[in-house]
Amino acid sequence: MHSTLLLEDDYQATVRLAHDRLQPSSSRLGVSVDGSDSRPGGVRSSVLESWNRSIDRLHDPAGARVRVAYEADQLAEVRRRHPFHSIMPLLRSHLIEPAKDAGLLAALGDEQGRLLWVEGERAVRDRAEAMGFLAGTDWSEEVMGTSAPGLALRSGSPVQISQAEHFAPDVHSWSCSAVPVTHPLTGQVIGIIDVTGGDDAVSSIVLPLLASTAKAAGAELSQLYRPKHMDRSGAEAVRSELSVFGSAPALQGPEGARVSLTRRHAEILLLLHRFPDGISGSGLVDRLWPVGGSEVTVRAEITRLRKAIDGLGGLRIDARPYRLLGDLDSDLDRTCAALARGDVDTALGHYRGPVLPDSDAPGVREIGDEVDALLRETLLQDGTWQQLWRYASLPDFRDDAEVLMTVLRLAPPEAAERNAAVVRLEALGC
């Protein structure tokens, strides 16, 4: 892969020579900078400026030492409360799995540069852990000097750092790219996403991958953190609610009127609800049919759906693009919002099984798979044995061996649920 950085031997040699001049001193590095970010004749200005800040704070590159910010028990709780936790299925599909397939590490950190997740092949993680790049450690510029995670947070911009551009000598065999992620409502940085490895970690395709992941993360979080609608008295307004868990989808108006929905109408409402900026006719075709389908069919279904929901809670469907107007909530959104708050009991109260289980619509399956994976992963990582058993009692998950084994591991010896879990596992041949 071709790199977006100047990775030729002459540039790296220049960087190494300049880095060798960094001494344990309060004086700044005497290398001229012309303000451009990349110069064939010298160190990139952004890197040099970071080195100078690092010298001022840390004094000696060899003295940069990894600091553990969170021990294992603290890390689990911090992860659970961080916004990334609520969108892990998206982050896995958009970033973690592609990075892992490329032999790279994907790291997710908080707004202070502390790594919360570091994932990749075991052999690569072992090498990275040898230099202290692992979950729970602090990789801010203040602690580790120049690195992509630290500089991305410092600058608020995408950053790539190659080999000897790192401040700490132990990191010179690695390269990394990082992008800050902002809260969709406040615009404040909530963390960073990073790819670390060899030269491929700063290839030309990595920053677009990180940027698209950050954009998708913001869009997903905006669904979870939408402001509540208030009435004139300041109380939360009663909204229509879409029910999509289970095989009997329905729409209930704020006054209690209930409309049973066909599978196709439920699919369309769910998609329009999840994409508040609207979806084109061709976009709906792609999300509703694995193969075939047409915009003519979409228009016909939209016409029938408009008649079905006419007068219910002020909901209506605009066109060009198709957009759902009016106040609508859903059991899916309530589940995701509860998981984002770390409220597993409430999430289980809303969750009744897979989203529209009879649907083969690609867009619906993607939404359903994400919430299913998020709930299951949350339970396996942070759930109590009672919550796990409650999940395993749902018809679709009675045979989930990993969940049943976790119940056995966590439940006390006297719990009757242990015997029931053993019986199910034996029936599964485990």
Side-chain angles (χ1 to χ4, degrees), residues 344 348 374-383 387-388 391:
V344 178
L348 285 169
L374 173 59
L375 178 61
R376 186 176 184 273
E377 181 173 327
T378 300
L379 286 165
L380 289 172
Q381 287 190 357
D382 305 316
Q387 291 167 341
L388 285 155
Y391 174 83

Side-chain angles (χ1 to χ4, degrees), residues 8 56 145-146 188 264 274 390 404 415 425 429:
E8 293 84 356
D56 287 345
T146 309
Q188 297 296 309
R264 185 63 78 200
R274 296 290 282 178
R390 187 176 171 188
L404 294 171
L425 286 167

Side-chain angles (χ1 to χ4, degrees), residues 197-229:
D199 288 351
D200 284 352
V202 288
S203 76
S204 59
I205 66 172
V206 172
L207 281 185
L209 170 67
L210 289 170
S212 67
T213 302
K215 182 178 180 180
E220 188 77 2
L221 288 169
S222 69
Q223 296 293 322
L224 301 178
Y225 292 99
R226 284 181 302 177
K228 296 179 179 178
H229 292 252

